[in-house]
Amino acid sequence: MIETLTSPPYLAAYRFTGQLSSEDYDACIADLEARLAQFPRIAVLSDLSDMQGVSLEAIGRSGRTCAMQHRSWASSVGSRARRSSPTSGGW
């Protein structure tokens, strides 16, 4: 399951719990694309501490989306962008 957390429109903040389904993945991508339509660059925060896995269908959609959107998203994220994914796991 994915929960979109309250955040400014230029910050996409999510909490992932349980198993990520293809519907969850589609909702996340739709939210990211809406934010990128408003701002040339956005920040993303993902809380993965309660995530248990990803469905095979969501993995397939992820691969297709990355292949199709790589160039447009690369310019929005940039090579020097910071990424944060809090988890409960140790380093």
Side-chain angles (χ1 to χ4, degrees):
M1 184 176 131
I2 183 173
E3 175 187 357
T4 302
L5 304 175
T6 303
S7 63
Y10 54 84
L11 170 62
Y14 309 105
R15 177 178 296 123
F16 296 90
T17 57
Q19 181 163 324
L20 182 69
S21 70
S22 58
E23 292 82 14
D24 295 329
Y25 179 81
D26 290 342
C28 183
I29 294 300
D31 184 60
L32 287 169
E33 288 177 340
R35 291 172 192 269
L36 287 169
Q38 292 181 319
F39 299 95
R41 289 176 64 107
I42 62 170
V44 178
L45 172 80
S46 298
D47 178 354
L48 307 173
S49 58
D50 292 323
M51 188 170 161
Q52 302 299 314
V54 181
S55 72
L56 288 176
E57 189 175 342
I59 291 170
R61 288 187 188 190
S62 172
R64 286 189 299 276
T65 302
C66 289
M68 293 185 309
Q69 297 290 342
H70 175 71
R71 289 181 189 236
S72 64
W73 287 359
S75 63
S76 299
V77 174
S79 62
R80 296 177 189 231
R82 294 182 203 126
R83 295 165 188 86
S84 176
S85 298
T87 67
S88 61
W91 289 91

